[in-house]
Amino acid sequence: MSDDTAARAGEVVRAADGRALLRFRRTHTEPVAEVWSAVTDPDRCARWFGRWSGDGRPGGTVELVLTSDEDGGGPPSTVLVRECAPPHRLAVDIREGDGAPWELSVTLTPHGDGTVLVFEQVLPEGFSPADAGPGWHWYLDRLAAVLAGAPMPDWEATLAAAAPHYRA
């Protein structure tokens, strides 16, 4: 894996309650408000992750459809908004079928003129980082591309470079 890919890779850490988290830390040159908009505005979010509609306030639910060609989109997922504190923190549960929800959070912190983004997923018991790490790595690379006005990363190239890190 290249040093650049390794620097952007997520890591498994333990939360205060003992649960395993897959955590990514990315630094962007754009200010917090710009990154927040790219994460939460339905039209901007659709450019890198998925289109959503519904009640985005805490306790509300939205329907999310992934928009990238590589993952095929698929049926809508129900997303429960657990926390929304603009422009710094968003925490959601994504439900697909009868399985455990994917507990996700994004925290944005000013860093000079830019932003530090911390993305976390609670790893359900028995769930390997290899099952989610390369995908989140790719989506966060897509977010960076949208923010920078750069070309979108290639899924196959990202998978080949990042997957070994998450199997370790």
Side-chain angles (χ1 to χ4, degrees), residues 48-107:
W48 66 275
F49 183 59
R51 180 170 301 284
W52 64 269
S53 61
D55 183 358
R57 295 175 295 182
T61 59
V62 301
E63 294 298 310
L64 171 71
V65 176
L66 299 179
T67 54
S68 66
D69 294 334
E70 288 79 0
D71 57 35
S77 297
T78 300
V79 180
L80 171 66
V81 179
R82 287 185 287 119
E83 184 179 348
C84 184
H88 297 288
R89 182 146 166 86
L90 177 66
V92 300
D93 292 345
I94 298 179
R95 294 196 177 275
E96 295 177 341
D98 295 332
W102 284 43
E103 297 177 57
L104 311 173
S105 66
V106 174
T107 304

